[in-house]
Amino acid sequence: MRRTLGWIFLVLFSSLASAKPLTVVVDPGHGGRDRGATRKNVFEADITLKVGQHLFELLKKDRQFRPILSRASTNGLSLSDRAHIAKKTQADLLLSIHVNSNPDPRARGAEFYFQNQLEPDEESMFLAHKENSFEEEAPTGKEAPTYDFLDQNRLSPDVASIVTDLLNGDRVWRSSHIVKALKSNWRGFRKGRTNAVRQAPFFVLSQMTAPSALVELGFLTNNEDFADLTNDDKLRSMAEDLYRGLKAYKDSMDKARVAF
Ligand SMILES: [Zn+2]
């Protein structure tokens, strides 16, 4: 029991440690032979790379952040590699960047996702399937991430499960806050647009032990979004919105720490 309490304290303490730069993995979706959504020789993989690079540069200039770019070129990267980068660098946050498509050309606007433990809705499942299509095994959405350090410390299964639950709860709570901060700082938000916060079993999110979120910048299949997604100034401005969202998240976490 004493050991259990010790672990619970460790989990709480680690989330209350003094404010330090936030290690952020900026993850441009797709790459290599996987070009993602496509329209008129415009490829999702190129758009996500541009926005990811802009965001990486903005974060690099800000001492509150330690950014890592999961892919800095058009080369491919598997979904599990992306999750591995976040684990290896002990990231505080992973933001995966994507572009949407839909058979209905009226569907438009940015969407923000995080993984939680509720049943995913059908539309999110469809989207998750598209984003996961290059991974050999489709996720079920029920797989919980495993925390390596728990195995290494040979905890009893009961204690490990309590600590895992605490860590998962904390990760989901933080992920939902990231998504809220990103959404409220998104200037493209207009009344009537389908800016949504959803939960979906994306492989890259389901494997994460760090808080994580996924943004779909807009729909290639919508004419207005297409114009924005093929305009470099607009892409830069989207990266700025994401940057302001991440700053707001960092500030709110630092304040929560002080309030405690
Ligand atoms: Zn995608």
Side-chain angles (χ1 to χ4, degrees):
M1 190 60 200
R2 192 179 294 170
R3 213 164 163 198
T4 311
L5 285 174
W7 274 100
I8 292 170
F9 271 123
L10 179 71
V11 169
L12 289 174
F13 182 76
S14 63
S15 49
L16 293 167
S18 64
K20 58 176 180 45
L22 203 70
T23 301
V24 178
V25 175
V26 177
D27 177 37
H30 308 274
R33 68 188 176 92
D34 170 16
R35 293 166 135 186
T38 303
R39 180 177 173 186
K40 295 184 193 161
N41 283 328
V42 174
F43 302 106
E44 176 182 358
D46 299 333
I47 297 169
T48 61
L49 183 59
K50 278 185 190 173
V51 173
Q53 281 171 328
H54 290 320
L55 177 59
F56 174 74
E57 292 303 325
L58 290 167
L59 292 170
K60 218 165 66 171
K61 286 184 211 144
D62 188 331
R63 294 171 73 176
Q64 285 193 302
F65 295 97
R66 183 171 80 94
I68 290 146
L69 195 58
S70 68
R71 98 179 150 88
S73 73
T74 53
N75 292 344
L77 192 66
S78 79
L79 294 174
S80 44
D81 283 345
R82 296 169 204 264
H84 182 67
I85 290 172
K87 256 190 182 175
K88 200 177 63 187
T89 56
Q90 296 186 313
D92 296 306
L93 190 163
L94 176 135
L95 177 61
S96 208
I97 303 169
H98 287 262
V99 170
N100 232 331
S101 66
N102 195 298
D104 182 351
R106 288 169 301 180
R108 60 182 293 223
E111 294 186 330
F112 301 89
Y113 293 84
F114 68 101
Q115 173 99 26
N116 69 10
Q117 281 126 354
L118 301 172
E119 286 295 320
D121 60 66
E122 215 174 295
E123 194 185 0
S124 300
M125 277 295 269
F126 174 72
L127 176 71
H129 175 75
K130 275 194 304 177
E131 298 297 10
N132 292 326
S133 58
F134 271 73
E135 202 63 27
E136 281 170 19
E137 265 181 59
T140 61
K142 304 248 183 214
E143 297 148 13
T146 50
Y147 297 87
D148 293 344
F149 71 92
L150 293 181
D151 295 341
Q152 288 156 12
N153 283 281
R154 294 203 189 94
L155 295 177
S156 77
D158 285 350
V159 176
S161 116
I162 292 170
V163 177
T164 301
D165 280 354
L166 278 170
L167 289 168
N168 279 338
D170 185 64
R171 178 179 57 85
V172 170
W173 180 77
R174 282 169 196 265
S175 301
S176 74
H177 276 266
I178 294 165
V179 158
K180 276 185 206 151
L182 291 173
K183 194 186 166 201
S184 57
N185 282 280
W186 188 257
R187 279 175 293 187
F189 182 83
R190 281 178 234 149
K191 243 187 173 175
R193 290 189 76 159
T194 55
N195 296 66
V197 175
R198 295 193 173 141
Q199 35 116 4
F202 292 110
F203 181 88
V204 69
L205 299 190
S206 70
Q207 297 301 299
M208 291 296 301
T209 50
S212 51
L214 187 147
V215 55
E216 297 275 357
L217 302 168
F219 288 81
L220 266 188
T221 40
N222 174 269
N223 288 342
E224 286 175 70
D225 279 5
F226 183 76
D228 285 352
L229 293 165
T230 49
N231 177 329
D232 281 349
D233 288 341
K234 294 277 187 202
L235 296 184
R236 206 175 285 272
S237 133
M238 289 179 194
E240 283 164 10
D241 289 355
L242 295 176
Y243 168 64
R244 287 185 302 115
L246 293 178
K247 261 184 106 62
Y249 167 73
K250 166 90 167 88
D251 287 350
S252 71
M253 287 298 123
D254 290 347
K255 274 188 197 129
R257 227 174 250 127
V258 172
F260 189 83

